[in-house]
């Protein structure tokens, strides 16, 4: 039976560490502050934004909330971002995605100052990650590295296979695993012999966006399996991109859904807000 990598517990430890760091920063007169911008009232986005605000409150980060109507123009949103970029009180800016269709997401992401880009989506943040200089790292992949480190999963010299090459998960994940000295293979929808490649992995990271696609036939005995996917099934229960029941008997360690990668994303967002001062 695989060891369960408990993201809920690990994210709780990180938040408690951050709480202490924020106390110490406050004592030096430094006050981390995140501006959270939500356009429209997509129910899932509202839940994410609320969880982010609750996370800030827990660790002692001040959060400023900007809830704009669905019909907000791109120009108005860009004006708000320019004001937040110039506001010295704010050190992190988060614009909840997706944005309404009439707003160009790329333009909005590029408008956020790379120095306040706590989501790590700005092309400059991605460039810094790519060449290995200091910068904000996309929260979900950064959270996965923490899960591996804090579960004592060796990455140095290990075969890591990532299924998925999106800008927010797959690609930054590959860059981070390279930084951790793994030998990295990135698979996507055009990859031939996917099962065979996945079976080579000491660390298999599934970010494919297909419920339960990765079953035991993709997994080497004893491998560590990280499930990034999150899907709500018709009966209401949540599952990932990995078929947990099938893979659990083959893997050495595995993240559950829920309670694996998901909670780490917010913990790393909070980390990014605090790291501005570290
Ligand atoms: P995307 O849909 O942007 O990317 C999916 C990737 O999987 C693409 O690169 C695609 O290839 C590849 N892919 C699709 N089908 C196959 C296939 N049959 N074989 C091989 N590769 C395939 O998804 P995201 O990266 O945004 O998210 C991935 C999953 O992670 C989703 O379930 C999402 O909900 C979840 N997620 C969870 C987060 C969390 O906090 N837990 C945060 C972000 C995402 P191609 O490029 O060729 O199209």
């Amino acid at each position: 039976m695989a060891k369960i990598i408990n993201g809920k517990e690990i994210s709780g430890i990180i938040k408690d560490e951050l709480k202490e760091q924020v106390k110490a920063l406050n004592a030096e007169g430094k006050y981390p502050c995140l501006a959270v911008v939500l356009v429209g009232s997509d129910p899932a986005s509202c839940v994410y934004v609320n969880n982010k605000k609750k996370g800030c409150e827990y660790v002692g980060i001040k959060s400023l909330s900007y809830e704009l109507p669905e019909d907000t123009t791109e120009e108005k949103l860009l004006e708000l971002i320019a004001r937040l970029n110039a506001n010295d009180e704010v050190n992190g800016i988060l614009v909840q995605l997706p944005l309404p269709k009439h707003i160009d997401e790329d333009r909005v992401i590029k408008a956020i100052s790379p120095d306040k880009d706590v989501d790590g989506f700005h092309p400059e943040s991605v460039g810094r990650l790519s060449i290995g200089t200091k910068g904000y790292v996309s929260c979900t992949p950064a959270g996965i590295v923490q899960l591996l480190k804090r579960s004592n999963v060796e990455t140095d010299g290990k075969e890591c296979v990532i299924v998925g090459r999106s800008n927010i998960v797959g690609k930054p994940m590959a860059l981070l695993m390279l930084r951790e000295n793994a030998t990295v293979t990135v698979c996507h929808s055009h990859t031939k012999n996917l099962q065979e490649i996945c079976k080579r992995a000491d660390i298999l990271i599934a970010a494919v966006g297909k419920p339960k696609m990765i079953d035991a036939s993709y997994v080497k005995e004893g491998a560590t399996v990280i499930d990034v996917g999150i899907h709500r099934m018709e009966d209401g229960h949540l599952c990932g991109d990995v078929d947990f029941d099938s893979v659990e008997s083959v893997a050495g360690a595995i993240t559950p859904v829920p309670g694996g990668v998901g909670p780490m994303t917010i913990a790393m967002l909070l980390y990014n807000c605090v790291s501005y001062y570290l």
Side-chain angles (χ1 to χ4, degrees), residues 245-261:
D245 294 337
S246 150
V247 171
E248 195 193 13
S249 55
V250 182
I254 185 168
T255 58
V257 176
V261 172

Side-chain angles (χ1 to χ4, degrees), residues 125-155:
S125 304
V126 179
R128 288 182 193 177
L129 173 61
S130 174
I131 59 172
T133 54
K134 194 168 184 270
Y136 291 111
V137 178
S138 176
C139 301
T140 302
I144 291 170
V145 171
Q146 284 303 312
L147 281 181
L148 294 171
K149 282 185 191 291
R150 290 170 187 253
S151 307
N152 298 315
V153 175
E154 181 63 82
T155 53

Side-chain angles (χ1 to χ4, degrees), residues 48 140 163-170 187-191 194 206-211 213 227-231 240-241 261-266:
Y48 290 140
T140 302
V163 190
R165 58 172 168 182
S166 71
N167 288 339
I168 61 164
V169 187
C187 303
H188 45 78
S189 66
H190 297 247
T191 298
L194 183 66
V208 63
K210 301 258 186 302
M213 183 181 129
D227 189 354
V228 187
I230 181 146
H231 310 276
D241 292 345
V261 172
M264 295 300 290
T265 302
I266 292 187

Side-chain angles (χ1 to χ4, degrees), residues 23 50 64 163 193 233 245:
K23 266 190 215 152
N50 270 332
L64 303 176
V163 190
N193 306 324
M233 304 307 275
D245 294 337

